[in-house]
Amino acid sequence: MANVETSLKETMTSIEGSVGAALVDYTSGMALGTIGGGKDLDLTVAAAGNTDVIRAKARTMKELGLKEEIEDVLITMGTQYHLIRLLKSRDGNGLFLYLVLDRRNANLAMARHRLRQIEADLEL
């Protein structure tokens, strides 16, 4: 089992193309931990904004009567992938892992696979 800091470091070092990562509480929009980012990527602002994405999708699913759970959300941009993975662990309700990848260096399938493994090892 890994704590938040260790899990975020693992995300950055083990997923090729990682630019930044955060663990986010989508009930409050607050980042519980961040790593990477920079002047062109403010992870605290991104955490709050992506909270709105998750809330909107959950609301839409409810209105449609869909009984499934969101596994992850992918936002594809010209130079980046933004991957939002909702935590399914016993203590992860209301949390998501947020990962920004450089499209030129990233393997999206491998990033999704590795993020699932990091989630499984995350201890909250």
Side-chain angles (χ1 to χ4, degrees):
M1 293 292 183
N3 67 20
V4 173
E5 182 180 349
T6 302
S7 294
L8 291 175
K9 285 180 183 175
E10 182 72 15
T11 300
M12 290 296 289
T13 59
S14 71
I15 300 177
E16 190 171 345
S18 295
V19 175
L23 178 67
V24 182
D25 176 346
Y26 65 81
T27 58
S28 68
M30 292 182 59
L32 304 177
T34 64
I35 190 167
K39 68 177 182 73
D40 295 328
L41 177 61
D42 184 333
L43 289 169
T44 56
V45 172
N50 285 306
T51 294
D52 292 336
V53 171
I54 295 302
R55 288 177 184 161
K57 185 60 184 170
R59 187 174 48 252
T60 301
M61 289 175 62
K62 183 177 180 180
E63 290 172 2
L64 291 172
L66 299 175
K67 303 296 183 203
E68 297 194 46
E69 294 181 352
I70 300 169
E71 184 175 327
D72 59 35
V73 174
L74 172 64
I75 300 168
T76 304
M77 303 171 92
T79 61
Q80 297 177 335
Y81 293 123
H82 290 234
L83 185 58
I84 303 166
R85 176 159 183 85
L86 276 70
L87 300 189
K88 303 294 185 232
S89 64
R90 56 184 166 6
D91 296 327
N93 287 337
L95 301 177
F96 65 84
L97 283 167
Y98 172 59
L99 174 62
V100 178
L101 298 163
D102 181 329
R103 276 183 73 162
R104 295 168 295 187
N105 304 323
N107 178 323
L108 185 56
M110 288 303 296
R112 290 181 72 220
H113 175 71
R114 187 67 188 113
L115 207 53
R116 271 192 298 275
Q117 292 174 329
I118 291 168
E119 173 197 357
D121 291 339
L122 179 62
E123 184 175 295
L124 300 170

